[in-house]
């Protein structure tokens, strides 16, 4: 029945998302989440024999591995150097701003769930906050034909900030999974160190093996097999699967050098399918009473994240020497949050000790995603408009 | 037929560009030879070190007009490097003393348009184009492939 439900979720989610976007102008994720809610165990899912969502756990792990691989493979050292200090500085500011602001806000609010200490809950929630939704930002840039320094900065930032977000998430999970400081250090060393070694070595092997296959179709099983192997190995040996998969992508890119596209593109094509699954799964977890009960937490998360992104991104860009039109507007372009944050939240629901907190966080991220995807698009447009970059991209690619 | 004889019958010199050239320069070089669909990247000694197809080149240059980008495509758009960062280093090449018949299979398997023919030093001697191969295959009197 699980396979039947996955098929239904993918097709119905895609149909609803596309129709909603076409006829009502709402983000596609709204349709995905609604379909998930419809097939929750309490509604139609129960009719199909699905009494819980435990069965989604292996899928979420693999799907996050796929996303982490794509995020890691996006970055090359040469590009990072060419992006320039102003983009890298703004990204560091944005990520740390969102993390610290949400961490502080949750601590101040003093609200946690029964099975988790407040500092752990605040850390985990803060670790999800830096993730952004590049697709939503690219859509606005394309729709309004934006071009200029702010556009370039935003695209550069959202292409690399999820990598930092995953790194922070992996570090936080290693830290909160152990009770004592000594234990946390030892566990963090293993979680991170083993992930770096496994991912690095895996990338080297995949690149070597890929030389034997010239047909693109032969590369898909090689790449998927590699990601599944690394995620499975990480779960078995208890190191960070997320970080290992991301390092796998970095390593493939590193060893492949130029033209790494053939080892990344087939997996990049799976990204939308993964996000449909994430959002529909998130919909299946959705509990309106949870949203009502925890509305102060959601409000605190939403506001603190926005403030952190705005102040962190803006000050990072300013300190790194970006021009005024960039640092004073960059914060407006970073609000959308989407698939990566949902995926991280879903991962928590299956983590021992986090089941109750995970449910709350999935609901929180789902609710705020709906808000950030809608308000975020308006905010991105406002920032680009303030910087005077709307409508500058011509068909021939030259600015006016 | 030996490749050296094929190139006498179908002389195509191919398009080359230096490894540190920009993608715009590579595109300009290709547009000056509209019959060629692939560009070969050469080092300071004029040895071929990589291959770049027109479609790949066009995809990067026109990326601003796509409604969706992967993160990798976003970085290619905002932090675009020189041509050697996009080339395929493990491209297929033929030698002058090979037969056309033998290189054809590898050619079709990799779904590329043209095969570069290199000398002993790795310098470009010419290019076997897919269009010329198809033309020879459908021409009853032409036995040059076999």
């Amino acid at each position: 029945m699980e396979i039947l439900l996955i098929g239904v979720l993918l097709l119905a989610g895609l149909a609803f998302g596309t129709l909603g976007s076409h006829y009502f102008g709402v983000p596609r994720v709204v349709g995905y989440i609604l379909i998930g809610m419809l097939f929750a165990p309490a509604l139609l899912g129960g009719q199909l024999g699905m009494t819980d969502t435990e069965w989604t756990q292996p899928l979420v792990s693999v799907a996050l591995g796929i996303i982490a691989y794509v995020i890691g493979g996006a970055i090359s050292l040469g590009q990072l150097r060419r992006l320039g200090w102003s983009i890298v500085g703004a990204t560091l500011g944005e990520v740390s701003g969102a993390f610290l602001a949400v961490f502080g806000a949750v601590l101040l609010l003093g609200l946690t769930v029964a099975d988790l200490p407040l500092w752990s809950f605040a850390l985990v929630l803060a670790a999800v906050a830096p993730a952004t939704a590049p697709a939503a930002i690219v859509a606005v840039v394309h729709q309004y034909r934006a071009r200029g320094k702010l556009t370039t900065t935003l695209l550069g930032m959202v292409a690399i900030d999820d990598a930092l977000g995953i790194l922070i998430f992996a570090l936080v999970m290693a830290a909160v999974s152990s009770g004592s400081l000594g234990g946390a250090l030892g566990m963090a060393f293993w979680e991170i160190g083993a992930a770096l070694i496994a991912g690095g070595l895996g990338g080297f092997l995949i690149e070597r093996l890929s030389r034997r296959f010239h047909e693109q179709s032969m590369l898909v099983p090689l790449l998927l097999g590699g990601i599944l192997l690394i995620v499975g190995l990480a779960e078995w040996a208890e190191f960070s699967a997320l970080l290992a998969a991301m390092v796998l992508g970095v390593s493939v890119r590193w060893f492949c050098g130029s033209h790494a596209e053939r080892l990344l593109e087939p997996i990049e094509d799976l990204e939308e399918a993964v996000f449909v699954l994430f959002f529909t799964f998130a919909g299946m977890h959705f509990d309106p009473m949870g949203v009502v009960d925890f509305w102060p937490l959601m409000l605190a998360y939403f506001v603190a994240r926005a403030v952190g992104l705005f102040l962190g991104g803006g000050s990072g860009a300013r300190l790194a020497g970006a021009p005024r039109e960039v640092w004073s507007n960059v914060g407006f372009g970073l609000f959308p949050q989407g698939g990566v944050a949902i995926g991280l939240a879903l991962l928590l629901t299956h983590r021992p000790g986090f089941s109750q907190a995970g449910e709350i966080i999935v609901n929180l991220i789902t609710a705020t995603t709906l808000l950030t995807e809608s308000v975020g698009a308006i905010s991105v447009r406002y920032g680009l408009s303030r910087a005077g970059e709307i409508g500058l991209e011509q068909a021939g690619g030259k600015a006016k | 037929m030996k490749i050296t004889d094929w190139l006498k019958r179908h002389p195509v010199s191919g398009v080359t560009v230096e490894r540190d050239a920009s993608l715009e320069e590579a595109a300009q070089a290709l547009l000056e030879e509209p019959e060629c669909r692939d560009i070969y990247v050469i080092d300071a000694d004029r040895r071929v070190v990589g291959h770049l197809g027109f479609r790949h080149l066009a995809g990067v240059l026109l990326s601003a007009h796509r409604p969706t980008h992967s993160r990798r495509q976003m970085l290619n758009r905002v932090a675009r490097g020189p041509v050697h960062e996009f080339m395929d280093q493990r491209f297929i090449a033929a030698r002058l003393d090979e037969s056309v018949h033998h290189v054809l299979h590898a050619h079709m398997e990799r779904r590329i348009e043209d095969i570069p023919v290199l000398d002993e030093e790795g310098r470009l001697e010419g290019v076997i184009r897919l269009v010329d191969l198809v033309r020879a295959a459908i021409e009853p009197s032409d036995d040059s492939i076999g």
Side-chain angles (χ1 to χ4, degrees):
Chain A
M1 274 302 178
E2 287 92 343
I3 296 172
L4 175 72
L5 188 53
I6 292 168
V8 170
L9 288 175
L10 277 174
L11 289 176
L14 194 64
F16 244 66
T18 311
L19 288 173
S21 165
H22 186 74
Y23 288 108
F24 303 107
V26 294
R28 281 204 303 265
V29 300
V30 175
Y32 301 163
I33 292 171
L34 283 176
I35 285 295
M37 289 163 72
L38 192 65
F39 284 92
L43 289 170
L44 291 182
Q47 303 296 314
L48 290 170
M50 301 291 119
T51 52
D52 56 41
T53 53
E54 271 303 303
W55 59 274
T56 60
Q57 192 260 326
L59 262 176
V60 169
S61 299
V62 172
L64 256 182
I66 286 173
I67 297 300
Y69 173 82
V70 167
I71 290 172
I75 307 162
S76 78
L77 208 61
Q79 282 174 329
L80 209 55
R81 224 177 284 128
R82 268 195 306 279
L83 274 179
W85 180 231
S86 69
I87 295 181
V88 176
T91 310
L92 290 172
E94 164 222 344
V95 169
S96 46
F99 178 83
L100 292 173
V102 171
F103 182 61
V106 178
L107 282 185
L108 278 176
L109 196 66
L111 193 64
T112 185
V113 285
D115 60 347
L116 215 58
L118 178 62
W119 68 273
S120 293
F121 186 61
L123 269 179
V124 170
L125 210 47
V128 181
T132 53
I137 293 155
V138 170
V140 177
V141 165
H142 180 261
Q143 185 182 352
Y144 295 103
R145 315 209 62 77
R147 185 186 170 99
K149 283 185 181 148
L150 178 64
T151 307
T152 301
T153 304
L154 275 179
L155 292 177
M157 287 173 78
V158 296
I160 60 174
D161 61 4
D162 282 341
L164 280 174
I166 284 182
L167 186 64
I168 289 175
F169 188 83
L171 288 170
V172 163
M173 290 316 292
V176 299
S177 297
S178 176
S180 66
L181 183 66
L185 281 176
M187 188 175 269
F189 188 74
W190 170 250
E191 281 226 15
I192 308 301
L196 292 178
I197 293 170
L201 198 64
F204 171 75
L205 291 174
I206 283 183
E207 196 280 326
R208 287 282 149 166
L209 283 169
S210 74
R211 296 181 183 192
R212 307 208 164 265
F213 303 109
H214 307 298
E215 289 272 7
Q216 193 83 342
S217 57
M218 301 299 281
L219 292 175
V220 177
L222 173 70
L223 295 167
L224 274 181
I227 294 168
L228 281 162
L229 195 72
I230 211 103
V231 170
L233 191 65
E235 290 193 347
W236 175 70
E238 295 183 345
F239 59 82
S240 170
L242 206 53
L243 190 61
M246 188 170 81
V247 175
L248 185 74
V250 173
S251 169
V252 161
R253 181 77 187 257
W254 173 270
F255 287 111
C256 201
S258 60
H259 209 75
E261 187 177 316
R262 61 194 285 269
L263 297 183
L264 294 166
E265 203 170 33
I267 304 299
E268 286 168 357
D269 290 343
L270 298 174
E271 198 167 359
E272 191 60 27
V274 165
F275 284 159
V276 176
L277 279 183
F278 278 172
F279 285 113
T280 51
F281 287 173
M284 289 167 67
H285 283 269
F286 198 69
D287 169 20
M289 284 319 289
V291 176
V292 172
D293 291 345
F294 284 88
W295 73 264
L297 183 68
M298 291 185 191
L299 188 66
Y301 175 86
F302 181 78
V303 174
R305 180 176 173 271
V307 170
L309 289 172
F310 198 90
L311 293 182
S315 6
R318 190 170 189 183
L319 287 173
R324 187 185 175 87
E325 73 262 27
V326 172
W327 65 255
S328 62
N329 295 308
V330 75
F332 292 113
L334 299 167
F335 294 145
Q337 189 168 40
V340 174
I342 293 270
L344 295 176
L346 285 170
L347 196 66
L348 286 171
T349 60
H350 306 292
R351 187 100 179 184
F354 285 87
S355 56
Q356 208 182 333
E359 288 294 334
I360 302 295
I361 292 176
V362 167
N363 277 292
L364 185 153
I365 301 293
T366 307
T368 53
T369 292
L370 288 172
L371 206 56
T372 59
E373 284 261 350
S374 315
V375 180
I378 300 166
S379 164
V380 178
R381 189 196 177 284
Y382 177 67
L384 291 170
S385 171
R386 273 192 70 191
E389 298 189 2
I390 297 275
L392 293 187
E393 184 71 59
Q394 291 181 324
K398 285 186 181 151
K400 276 177 190 171
Chain B
M1 177 184 269
K2 290 279 184 203
I3 286 177
T4 188
D5 297 323
W6 171 276
L7 286 180
K8 280 178 193 155
R9 202 185 279 195
H10 306 276
V12 179
S13 56
V15 181
T16 58
V17 68
E18 289 186 4
R19 47 180 286 126
D20 288 327
S22 67
L23 287 190
E24 286 80 0
E25 287 169 328
Q28 192 60 47
L30 260 182
L31 292 173
E32 283 166 15
E33 297 286 341
E35 295 232 335
C36 291
R37 307 291 290 168
D38 297 82
I39 196 157
Y40 300 98
V41 184
I42 54 173
D43 64 11
D45 297 322
R46 301 197 64 76
R47 281 190 292 260
V48 178
V49 290
H51 155 269
L52 185 62
F54 181 71
R55 202 172 165 76
H56 186 190
L57 186 62
V60 180
L61 288 174
L62 297 174
S63 64
H65 305 285
R66 276 196 196 138
T68 57
H69 289 36
S70 67
R71 288 173 182 78
R72 182 179 51 81
Q73 288 164 338
M74 286 162 78
L75 285 172
N76 281 345
R77 177 173 165 182
V78 299
R80 189 185 297 157
V83 80
H84 73 80
E85 289 192 15
F86 293 90
M87 69 186 188
D88 184 2
Q89 289 166 291
R90 282 174 288 284
F91 59 95
I92 177 177
R95 301 280 168 190
L96 284 166
D97 57 351
E98 287 179 286
S99 78
V100 176
H101 173 70
H102 277 114
V103 301
L104 192 55
H105 173 66
H107 186 264
M108 299 309 295
E109 198 182 36
R110 293 177 200 212
R111 297 180 188 174
I112 51 173
E113 292 268 329
D114 305 331
I115 301 183
V117 180
L118 307 183
D119 67 11
E120 296 293 317
E121 306 286 313
R123 296 189 181 91
L124 192 66
E125 284 283 339
V127 168
I128 300 175
R129 290 189 316 196
L130 187 62
V131 284
D132 293 328
L133 288 167
V134 172
R135 206 171 281 137
I138 61 173
E139 176 57 56
S141 62
D142 193 332
D143 62 347
S144 53
I145 293 181

